[in-house]
Amino acid sequence: RSWSEFYDLYWKLVYSVARKAGLSEADAQDVVQETFLKVSKSIKKFDYDPSKGRFRNWLCLITKQQVANHYRKESKLPELPAFWNEDPDEPARQIPDPTSDWEGLWEAEDRKHTMHLALTRLKDTVKPKTYQIFLAHCIKGMPVKEVTALLEVSDNEVYLAKSRIMPLFEEEIKALGEAKK
C-alpha cells in the first residue's frame, strides 16, 4: 500500500520532468518505470539525513540519471532547433538544452505537481461552485469582476470562497511538502 501511495505521489512529477527533458511520451513512460525500478532497488540503502538533502533531491538525481541513460542507450540527442545553421561564417548560437538547469526544471515541475495534488484533494472536500470560484480567482488569477460575470456569483461569494478555501489549500500544500521530506 505504501509503495502504491509513493508511486501515486511521484510518478507524474517524474513523467513531466522527462517530457520537459525532450523525451517522447513513450520514452518518458519508460523513464518513469526505470526510475521507480531503481528506487525500489536502492531504497534500502537510502539513509535519510536532512543535512545532506531532501528525499526528492535523491529522486531528482535518479530521474536525471535515467533520462541520461535513455539518451545514451538510444545514442541520440534531441533534435536541433529550426534556427540552427551549420554555416561556419555565421556567428555561433547557443543551443537550448532542456536539461541544463536540471534542478530548476525539477523544482518548477515539483511546484506544479504539488499544486495539482493539493487541488485534487480539495476538489473532493468543498462544494463544486465554491471550488470553481477559488480555482478561477486564486489559482488562475482571474479578476473578481470576471469571475462574477463568468460564474454568475456576487463579489462577496468570490471573497468568501477565497477566505474559506485558501487556508485549506495552504494546509494541503504544507502536508504534501511534509510527505515529500
Side-chain angles (χ1 to χ4, degrees):
R1 180 174 158 231
S2 60
W3 179 258
S4 179
E5 289 174 8
F6 170 75
Y7 183 83
D8 289 343
L9 187 62
Y10 286 107
W11 83 266
K12 287 181 184 175
L13 173 61
V14 172
Y15 173 81
S16 64
V17 168
R19 291 285 288 157
K20 292 273 168 60
L23 298 181
S24 69
E25 183 176 329
D27 291 341
Q29 289 173 358
D30 289 345
V31 165
V32 168
Q33 295 305 314
E34 293 298 322
T35 299
F36 282 91
L37 182 61
K38 179 81 171 188
V39 167
S40 73
K41 289 178 179 178
S42 304
I43 197 75
K44 289 179 181 153
K45 293 183 259 174
F46 179 77
D47 183 30
Y48 178 66
D49 181 355
S51 67
K52 293 182 181 177
R54 300 177 297 193
F55 170 79
R56 61 192 186 119
N57 293 12
W58 182 66
L59 182 61
C60 172
L61 178 63
I62 293 172
T63 304
K64 182 179 182 179
Q65 290 169 344
Q66 297 312 310
V67 169
N69 287 346
H70 177 78
Y71 279 122
R72 217 176 350 269
K73 278 193 285 188
E74 297 294 318
S75 298
K76 65 180 183 183
L77 296 172
E79 287 188 32
L80 292 174
F83 66 78
W84 180 254
N85 184 352
E86 293 187 31
D87 184 351
D89 296 330
E90 286 277 321
R93 294 185 186 180
Q94 186 72 20
I95 301 172
D97 178 2
T99 62
S100 64
D101 180 20
W102 190 264
E103 278 69 28
L105 173 65
W106 180 266
E107 289 297 322
E109 289 304 307
D110 186 45
R111 279 191 300 277
K112 288 191 322 193
H113 178 69
T114 301
M115 181 181 266
H116 172 75
L117 288 173
L119 289 171
T120 300
R121 290 179 180 183
L122 266 181
K123 189 174 186 177
D124 296 335
T125 63
V126 298
K127 293 179 182 176
K129 187 75 162 191
T130 307
Y131 178 80
Q132 286 179 323
I133 294 168
F134 176 78
L135 188 64
H137 180 59
C138 298
I139 303 302
K140 295 186 177 181
M142 291 175 65
V144 173
K145 292 297 177 195
E146 282 185 39
V147 175
T148 59
L150 178 69
L151 299 176
E152 299 175 350
V153 295
S154 68
D155 290 6
N156 194 38
E157 287 176 283
V158 175
Y159 295 122
L160 192 57
K162 178 180 179 180
S163 70
R164 286 183 178 165
I165 297 180
M166 187 58 80
L168 300 173
F169 177 69
E170 290 170 345
E171 197 174 293
E172 286 293 341
I173 295 288
K174 183 178 178 185
L176 288 165
E178 291 298 317
K180 289 180 177 184
K181 286 185 177 179

